Amino acid sequence: MKSLVVWLCLTSLCWAGSARDFDGTNDEVNWGDQTQYQMVSAVSHCFWLDMDATGFQTAFGKPDHSTHTSPFFDYSAELTPESGRIQARTDSVFTNTGTGLFVDGTWAHVCSVWDGAINSGSLDVYIDLSKTDGSNTTTNITDGAQTLRSGENVADTSDLNAQLAYVVLYNRLLTAAEVAELQIRPDTILDGMVLNCPMLGDDPEIDWSSYKQAGTVSGSTSITDGPPVILGDAPL
C-alpha cells in the first residue's frame, strides 16, 4: 500500500507529511541480512525519532540479545527514554546517561558513528548535533546472521514505541559536518551509503540508496507527521 505524502514548506524548512509510527507491540521493518549490511570495521547510522513511551526499546540495527553471551550484536541503537539514555552498540557498549535527551512529542536526530581504526574504537553519538564521546572502545565488531531491522530486536524483548523517519546507514565513519548535513537534508547522498529509508509508510518501505533494498513491514504500524527537514535544492 502506498502512502500519500504532503509537503508543507514554511520559510526554510519543509515538513515531512509522513513517518512510520511504531506502537510498541511487534511492529517491525526488516531489510534482511544483506551483504552490504555486514560491516565489521566501520559503521554509521542516523535517524529521526519521536518517543512515545518509557522502557527499553530498539530503534535500529542488527541486535541479538537472545544468547546473552558476548557478542550480543553487530551494531544497534537502543533507548531508555525515561532516563534519557541511548545505547549505541558494537562489540562494546556505549551508554549516554544524560537526562532530557528524548521528549514525548519532540523530534530528535540521533546519529552513531564508529571506526575502530580512525577513532581508536570510540563509538560516538550525536543527538541533535551534540556529540558525546564513547567511553568503551573496540577495534572490530563481529558480524552475525541477524537481520537489519527497525522496531524490535531478534528476541522480541525491546519493541519500539515511537515515530521513526529518515533512517540512513553508512559503511564508514561520518564526520560532524556530514552528520549536520544529514540532519537537515536527509536525502543527501554521501560516499558509503548502504541504506536510506525515509519511512514514509510504504509497504514495503523504499530504500533511496543504490541498493534499492525493500524493507518488509510487519505489525500494525501506521503513518504520522514527520520531522522538519529540507529535501532537494530548497535553500537553508
Side-chain angles (χ1 to χ4, degrees):
M1 184 177 103
K2 297 294 182 181
S3 61
L4 176 64
V5 179
V6 178
W7 297 94
L8 176 63
C9 295
L10 298 173
T11 63
S12 63
L13 291 183
C14 289
W15 190 273
S18 291
R20 188 164 287 278
D21 189 358
F22 295 79
D23 65 9
T25 307
N26 297 320
D27 291 345
E28 181 184 291
V29 178
N30 194 313
W31 292 276
D33 185 26
Q34 313 302 326
T35 301
Q36 64 267 26
Y37 306 147
Q38 298 169 6
M39 293 171 282
V40 297
S41 58
V43 61
S44 298
H45 49 86
C46 309
F47 48 84
W48 278 92
L49 183 80
D50 181 1
M51 303 298 299
D52 279 341
T54 61
F56 190 58
Q57 306 179 38
T58 297
F60 176 74
K62 294 185 68 184
D64 182 359
H65 302 284
S66 60
T67 62
H68 297 286
T69 58
S70 180
F72 297 138
F73 35 72
D74 300 322
Y75 49 86
S76 65
E78 298 170 337
L79 312 124
T80 307
E82 63 266 33
S83 64
R85 183 181 70 179
I86 180 171
Q87 294 181 337
R89 296 172 174 261
T90 60
D91 250 6
S92 285
V93 180
F94 165 80
T95 302
N96 185 331
T97 56
T99 59
L101 300 178
F102 304 104
V103 179
D104 186 13
T106 301
W107 283 97
H109 186 253
V110 179
C111 196
S112 305
V113 302
W114 176 83
D115 186 307
I118 292 177
N119 61 346
S120 300
S122 179
L123 178 57
D124 301 329
V125 175
Y126 296 83
I127 300 177
D128 290 334
L129 304 185
S130 178
K131 178 185 174 185
T132 304
D133 296 333
S135 57
N136 297 329
T137 61
T138 183
T139 56
N140 68 305
I141 56 179
T142 303
D143 176 67
Q146 301 86 356
T147 58
L148 182 68
R149 66 187 71 195
S150 284
E152 60 184 4
N153 63 5
V154 71
D156 192 19
T157 57
S158 57
D159 290 348
L160 182 65
N161 194 331
Q163 288 83 53
L164 194 65
Y166 300 110
V167 175
V168 297
L169 178 64
Y170 284 82
N171 61 12
R172 64 175 179 86
L173 182 79
L174 293 176
T175 67
E178 290 170 330
V179 171
E181 178 76 2
L182 289 172
Q183 181 194 33
I184 297 299
R185 298 182 185 272
D187 62 340
T188 299
I189 298 175
L190 304 172
D191 290 341
M193 176 190 288
V194 297
L195 178 74
N196 188 326
C197 182
M199 291 284 189
L200 297 179
D202 296 298
D203 188 3
E205 280 287 0
I206 61 174
D207 170 16
W208 287 351
S209 80
S210 61
Y211 292 96
K212 306 299 182 185
Q213 181 65 40
T216 302
V217 179
S218 59
S220 57
T221 60
S222 59
I223 59 172
T224 187
D225 290 339
V229 297
I230 297 173
L231 295 184
D233 297 325
L236 290 172

